[in-house]
Amino acid sequence: MEYRPLGRTGVRLSALGLGTMMFGDRLDEADSVRMVHAALDAGVNLIDTADVYSGGGSERIVGKALKDRRHEAFLATKVRRAMPGDSRPNAEGLSRLHIMQAAEASLSRLGTDYIDLYQVHWADPDTPIEETLRALDDLVRQGKVRYIGCSNFPAWRLARSLWKSDVHGLARFESNQVNFNLLQREVEEEILPLCTEERVSALAFSPLAGGLLTGKYNDGTAPPGSRGEGNESWRGRLAPSNLTFLRGLAGLGQQAGRAMMDLAVGWLLNVPQVASVLAGPSSLEQWEDYLAAAARPLAPDVARAVEVLQRETGAGLPRHSRYL
Ligand SMILES: NC(=O)c1ccc[n+]([C@@H]2O[C@H](COP(=O)([O-])OP(=O)(O)OC[C@H]3O[C@@H](n4cnc5c(N)ncnc54)[C@H](OP(=O)(O)O)[C@@H]3O)[C@@H](O)[C@H]2O)c1
């Protein structure tokens, strides 16, 4: 396993991280626990969850899986959204009040007394960033959180947050978890240059665009049992330009003797600002595929051909809506 630095810290993250959004959802508890153990055995240390995944179920399962192996993992979770069914006025957002309550709830579900990376899931324009950063800094000082990160932050908001941390001597965001894959590339415009300048890591989520980049949608329909099946909002993702690209990518994979998803994962791993690519497996077999994809770098000529194909087909998904 390759390891890369997290932001300005001395921590090294596995270049492939295990995303656990499917735990307690498409993946049952037993397989989820097996997957965490398989990941640790393979040298993966970054395990990414969120309080809201499966209504707290993902954190609970991750906690069980790490019971005797907590020290092997770099455990990342998130705060921002209300838990399902909780409509109290302060059940969401990035106020000190909500962050403190949510952190205690996550620690309890995870069965641990510290979170390695506490990430704000997306921005809260109603709460001053100073309030959010002070609350996060307090959690760091209390030893409940090791490092802090953000997610879905546009460049201007991340730059402003870093400035506030600097001015007030508060913990700084070491990472920005962003929607980044061959069909979703707007982070390259401003977020990645800022990451370079400020030494903030990008953690790439949805590396396969939810499964599109595996090739299983290449005939223009969602296969039975897939995330896209019966999901109206997925129809637009299968626009003609995207299908042209996906079919071309399958061809490039064949020529190179690599699976299509190897090209998608390998392309992301070539991006210097990406510290880790967050896999989102729905089965143990899929997890093995991500591991295989990350194990072998892309040959430079294949990487170039992928890049040219994307540009020439004009393939892409609508801009990510969470960059507030
Ligand atoms: N910060 C945020 O706002 C945010 C948002 C989303 C995700 N995330 C994080 O990023 C992680 C990954 O995101 P993601 O789940 O969207 O990742 P992804 O890699 O883009 O999509 C994962 C999906 O692709 C399909 N897939 C994967 N491997 C496959 C294979 N070998 N063959 C066929 N299909 C395959 C599966 O869908 P099927 O179930 O259809 O088989 C799987 O659930 C999440 O677990 C979470 O930790 C963060």
Side-chain angles (χ1 to χ4, degrees):
M1 181 57 56
E2 182 197 346
Y3 298 92
R4 300 179 177 191
L6 167 69
R8 283 191 196 165
T9 77
V11 169
R12 287 153 61 78
L13 298 180
S14 48
L16 184 69
L18 176 59
T20 64
M21 195 167 70
M22 294 295 118
F23 284 21
D25 182 336
R26 297 171 81 78
L27 262 169
D28 67 18
E29 181 173 319
D31 275 352
S32 303
V33 169
R34 260 182 231 119
M35 192 178 286
V36 171
H37 293 168
L40 297 175
D41 291 343
V44 167
N45 59 6
L46 177 59
I47 313 284
D48 181 70
T49 182
D51 52 358
V52 289
Y53 291 169
S54 302
S58 174
E59 282 190 333
R60 261 185 230 105
I61 295 171
V62 168
K64 270 193 190 166
L66 292 181
K67 190 169 169 292
D68 299 318
R69 303 183 68 171
R70 175 68 186 87
H71 62 289
E72 292 176 61
F74 189 83
L75 180 54
T77 191
K78 311 186 191 81
V79 54
R80 165 71 174 85
R81 207 167 115 188
M83 299 302 281
D86 192 348
S87 57
R88 292 173 303 153
N90 293 304
E92 67 172 323
L94 295 175
S95 66
R96 164 178 287 272
L97 182 63
H98 179 60
I99 287 177
M100 292 304 181
Q101 287 175 352
E104 293 300 337
S106 281
L107 287 168
S108 156
R109 279 188 296 268
L110 289 163
T112 183
D113 51 12
Y114 67 99
I115 292 162
D116 293 300
L117 181 68
Y118 203 33
Q119 304 160 107
V120 298
H121 211 150
W122 66 93
D124 173 7
D126 294 332
T127 303
I129 191 67
E130 290 90 335
E131 176 176 344
T132 299
L133 288 168
R134 276 200 193 281
L136 294 171
D137 188 70
D138 285 348
L139 287 170
V140 172
R141 285 170 200 269
Q142 290 165 9
K144 294 178 179 176
V145 164
R146 299 281 192 254
Y147 302 98
I148 64 168
C150 59
S151 177
N152 300 304
F153 266 41
W156 73 267
R157 199 181 279 286
L158 175 55
R160 188 165 182 276
S161 306
L162 295 172
W163 165 53
K164 294 289 182 183
S165 291
D166 207 10
V167 166
H168 298 297
L170 301 171
R172 79 196 286 272
F173 292 134
E174 300 294 350
S175 53
N176 190 8
Q177 192 178 128
V178 287
N179 190 351
F180 189 24
N181 59 61
L182 274 167
L183 291 169
Q184 195 85 53
R185 298 185 57 181
E186 65 263 32
V187 298
E188 291 167 284
E189 295 163 12
E190 297 197 36
I191 296 174
L192 295 188
L194 175 67
C195 286
T196 303
E197 197 68 24
E198 289 292 334
R199 278 179 63 201
V200 171
S201 291
L203 305 179
F205 77 73
S206 296
L208 303 178
L212 285 183
L213 292 163
T214 63
K216 66 182 179 183
Y217 295 83
N218 280 16
D219 68 358
T221 57
S226 68
R227 272 197 213 179
E229 190 190 16
N231 190 335
E232 213 32 53
S233 70
W234 275 64
R235 207 175 280 255
R237 304 186 191 198
L238 301 171
S241 56
N242 289 351
L243 287 175
T244 304
F245 170 67
L246 292 171
R247 290 167 187 156
L249 197 62
L252 286 178
Q254 254 166 8
Q255 279 169 33
R258 304 287 306 261
M260 192 170 142
M261 68 180 274
D262 291 9
L263 306 194
V265 171
W267 178 81
L268 277 174
L269 286 172
N270 275 349
V271 177
Q273 296 92 341
V274 171
S276 194
V277 170
L278 293 174
S282 295
S283 68
L284 286 159
E285 294 72 27
Q286 289 183 1
W287 171 243
E288 290 299 325
D289 290 343
Y290 283 105
L291 272 176
R296 273 174 64 203
L298 273 196
D301 59 323
V302 179
R304 254 192 314 277
V306 167
E307 188 81 28
V308 168
L309 182 68
Q310 195 277 333
R311 214 174 312 120
E312 285 180 350
T313 54
L317 295 171
R319 289 177 83 83
H320 185 54
S321 59
R322 286 247 161 94
Y323 294 127
L324 300 170

